Amino acid sequence: MTAYLVSNADTPEITYVLPPAADAIALGTVGVASGKDTPECLARNAAIPIVTADPMSAALTRVETADGKPRYDTQIAVLNRVVDADALASTMRACPSVQVSVHNGDGSEQAIDWEVPVVKDIAGVGPVREMSYIRELGNKSTGSMTAAAVVRFVTVGNRTVIEYISGNLGSYDPEIPAESIAFGDRLLAEQVAKLKR
């Protein structure tokens, strides 16, 4: 499946790293696992690791640098199956693992609506399903950290392109930096175009 991934040969200004299988599974997981053992939460925990260790079912790459600058906020995967984003979100929301509220200027609080797919139109791609969620990032040296993120789903034939864009580590701010979204738009268009070739 790695042959389907966008690479430096397609975009010379971007360098990529193919992570080891365990890291790819972690990076490809959508959402934070629940510690509860209810049927709904067990179903959530089984559904959120979208990328598996089977090299014939999925492949994931992460961006290392772009335009000469370090960039660790974006990963892209290709799955050898169609992912129903709405069904996935429904399973996740049956056992919400993260509930965050933001304070409004008038002193009231407003809940952030995570894990709800919406349709976004992206230049060069068309309509995609996009969902905000909280993800866990980190490694043995830095420890586990969370970040707000968006995940995008695009069906191309009988495969699915999935893009992950992270916000600031340790922040539940649902606003992903505009520059990160713009880069993600560009990368997603390149990946979809490669899969269609």
Side-chain angles (χ1 to χ4, degrees):
M1 290 295 294
T2 55
Y4 294 109
L5 288 170
V6 68
S7 68
N8 189 243
D10 307 297
T11 55
E13 73 282 8
I14 303 174
T15 58
Y16 305 86
V17 172
L18 291 172
D23 291 346
I25 292 168
L27 288 169
T29 297
V30 180
V32 177
S34 170
K36 300 176 184 176
D37 61 358
T38 65
E40 293 82 5
C41 292
L42 294 175
R44 173 195 175 88
N45 292 351
I48 60 175
I50 297 178
V51 175
T52 70
D54 179 1
M56 299 305 294
S57 70
L60 179 144
T61 189
R62 66 175 179 82
V63 175
E64 182 82 3
T65 63
D67 304 314
K69 298 177 183 178
R71 167 149 243 133
Y72 306 114
D73 58 357
T74 311
Q75 297 86 40
I76 203 151
V78 176
L79 274 62
N80 200 17
R81 61 186 175 92
V82 173
V83 174
D84 184 333
D86 293 312
L88 172 64
S90 179
T91 299
M92 293 171 69
R93 285 172 63 84
C95 172
S97 67
V98 178
Q99 296 189 3
V100 180
S101 296
V102 293
H103 294 279
N104 298 318
D106 61 4
S108 63
E109 290 189 357
Q110 177 182 347
I112 300 172
D113 214 5
W114 302 106
E115 302 176 354
V116 179
V118 297
V119 177
K120 291 286 181 76
D121 194 67
I122 297 175
V125 180
V128 307
R129 301 297 275 171
E130 181 180 289
M131 182 174 74
S132 297
Y133 71 109
I134 297 294
R135 73 185 304 192
E136 288 185 313
L137 296 169
N139 54 46
K140 290 180 180 178
S141 61
T142 63
S144 179
M145 296 187 72
T146 57
V150 295
V151 60
R152 294 160 159 185
F153 302 85
V154 184
T155 301
V156 181
N158 61 353
R159 296 188 173 94
T160 305
V161 174
I162 301 180
E163 183 178 52
Y164 309 81
I165 307 171
S166 299
N168 296 320
L169 282 176
S171 172
Y172 285 148
D173 183 350
E175 293 296 323
I176 308 298
E179 190 271 339
S180 296
I181 294 295
F183 176 76
D185 292 353
R186 166 182 157 199
L187 182 64
L188 187 61
E190 291 282 359
Q191 178 62 77
V192 170
K194 178 167 186 173
L195 207 54
K196 288 181 174 178
R197 287 198 286 269

